[in-house]
């Protein structure tokens, strides 16, 4: 028998391989203990926040709640290594780890580039990449692992193309990413063609420095010959009139090249699972592809691939009668907010025509609201706009499995049978 989950379980990567149990835990916490302390071994204690309204209130109050103090949950061992290496326990310094005017100045470097007006230019290119991957699926000839064979690779190709990373370097960048984040899930590394190995925070080689070295050559190139790509935008971006500091620039490359693929892949894969589990929704979407906009949002709400970010109150606060002292971090559980019955009375149901209001929180909220939201939904729409007219039949061909990660998790494998 599997043990029941507790708030402490949210620090254990294997917990997220049991999504039904996690949603059950979230529901219990929302009902009985919407702010609850977790004290898992090997981690500094933290508070768990599960209600939609509360998470939104924290996110819209950056003056009280800092993002940069303790941004994501890390084992104390890893925090100590980061502190020794970089002088703070977070390690990297991307947008998610910044606050105030410092954050705004860095975010504004790429804000327009990630905006709908600019990204619409790339719609035809993204549609071509979607066709390439649906063709690849067709080549599997009637059965494949939709997550590992297709959904995992499509957003990676899109992001690398928009970054401006040469195609022959994609595998290298992917390996660096996986070593940097050192996923607990050993199979992920083999998925990328690399055997599990020590790396990332605990490894002997400095992956962050390797990332920096790799992108340095591209930075130099784009400073000489700027193009319409993300690397050029970051390389030539200025903060208060000066080029970005090295650590911030490397972190920017890291977040831009990583934030968008496993997240979007989880929504594309999980979306197909939803369509198979709720066949009337597949029929509805097929009959009216005008629903692709709301469907893409629903794919993201229903899968909520980012499991948390954290915020740290700068002063003592009280939530539901419970005192949280200044400096004690709060874990914002986005998947829980996305299924909060106060906001989504039928939140477990997958509905391609779900109205857009009120907002789901799978992309966060407030000043750190996901910069890649438009890109992610554009990719999902492009993929399904290509797939649905060609897909005559699809069914599950085995048990799906999930990535073991406390941060970004979704389907790892999705065996399907299909007919084109
Ligand atoms: C931030 C989710 C796709 C780039 C975030 C945050 C979440 C999130 C929850 C933090 C928001 C907060 O703290 O309030 C997702 C999901 C995605 C996705 C679920 C796909 C389904 C992408 C893509 C990109 C991207 C495609 C770009 C290539 C970023 C960046 C930030 C961010 C740069 C930091 C923004 C800041 O701190 O100012 N995302 N994301 N994301 N995301 Fe995404």
């Amino acid at each position: 028998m599997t043990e029941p989950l507790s708030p402490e379980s949210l620090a254990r990567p294997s917990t997220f391989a049991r999504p039904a149990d996690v949603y059950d835990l979230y529901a219990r916490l929302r009902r009985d203990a919407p702010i609850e302390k977790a004290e898992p071994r090997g981690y500094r204690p933290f508070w768990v926040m599960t209600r939609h309204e509360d998470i939104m209130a924290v996110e819209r109050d950056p003056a009280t709640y800092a993002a940069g103090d303790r941004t994501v949950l890390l084992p104390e061992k890893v925090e100590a290594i980061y502190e020794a290496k970089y002088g703070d326990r977070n390690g990297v310094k991307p947008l998610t780890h910044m606050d105030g005017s410092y954050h705004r100045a860095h975010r504004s470097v790429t804000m327009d580039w990630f905006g709908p007006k600019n990204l619409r230019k790339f719609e035809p290119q993204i549609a071509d990449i979607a066709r390439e991957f649906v063709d690849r699926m067709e080549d599997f000839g009637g059965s494949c692992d939709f997550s590992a064979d297709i959904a995992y690779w499509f957003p990676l190709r899109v992001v690398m193309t928009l970054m401006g990373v040469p195609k022959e370097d994609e595998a290298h960048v992917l390996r660096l990413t996986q070593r940097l984040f050192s996923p607990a899930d050993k199979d992920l590394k083999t998925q990328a063609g690399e055997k599990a190995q020590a790396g990332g925070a605990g490894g002997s080689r400095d992956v962050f420095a390797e990332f920096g070295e790799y992108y340095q050559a591209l930075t130099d190139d784009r400073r000489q010959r700027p193009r319409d790509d993300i690397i050029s935008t970051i390389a030539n971006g200025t903060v208060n009139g000066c080029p970005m500091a090295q650590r911030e620039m490397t972190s920017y490359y890291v977040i831009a090249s990583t934030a968008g693929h496993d997240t979007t892949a989880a929504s594309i894969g999980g979306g197909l699972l939803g369509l198979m589990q709720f066949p009337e929704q597949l029929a509805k979407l097929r009959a009216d592809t005008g629903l692709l906009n709301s469907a893409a949002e629903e794919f993201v709400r229903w899968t909520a691939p980012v499991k948390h970010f954290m915020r740290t109150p700068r002063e003592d606060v009280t939530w539901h009668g419970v005192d949280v002292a200044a400096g004690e971090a709060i874990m914002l559980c986005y998947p829980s907010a996305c299924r909060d019955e106060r906001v989504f009375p039928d939140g477990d149901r997958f509905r391609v025509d779900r109205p857009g209001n009120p907002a789901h929180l799978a992309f966060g909220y407030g000043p750190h609201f996901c910069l890649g939201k438009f890109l992610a939904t554009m990719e999902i729409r492009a993929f399904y706009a290509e797939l649905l007219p060609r897909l005559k039949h699809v069914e599950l061909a085995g048990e799906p499995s999930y990535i073991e990660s406390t941060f970004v998790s979704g389907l790892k494998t999705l065996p399907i049978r299909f007919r084109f």
Side-chain angles (χ1 to χ4, degrees), residues 108-126:
S108 66
V109 169
T110 55
M111 213 158 74
D112 288 345
W113 205 92
F114 278 109
K117 191 162 162 250
N118 183 55
L119 280 177
R120 281 210 183 91
K121 286 190 309 214
F122 297 97
E123 232 160 14
Q125 210 175 340
I126 293 175

Side-chain angles (χ1 to χ4, degrees), residues 275-294:
L275 293 172
M276 290 187 292
Q277 287 178 344
F278 297 83
E280 79 289 354
Q281 299 298 310
L282 175 58
K284 202 180 250 185
L285 189 55
R286 233 199 252 286
D288 180 4
T289 46
L291 291 173
L292 273 172
N293 277 332
S294 59

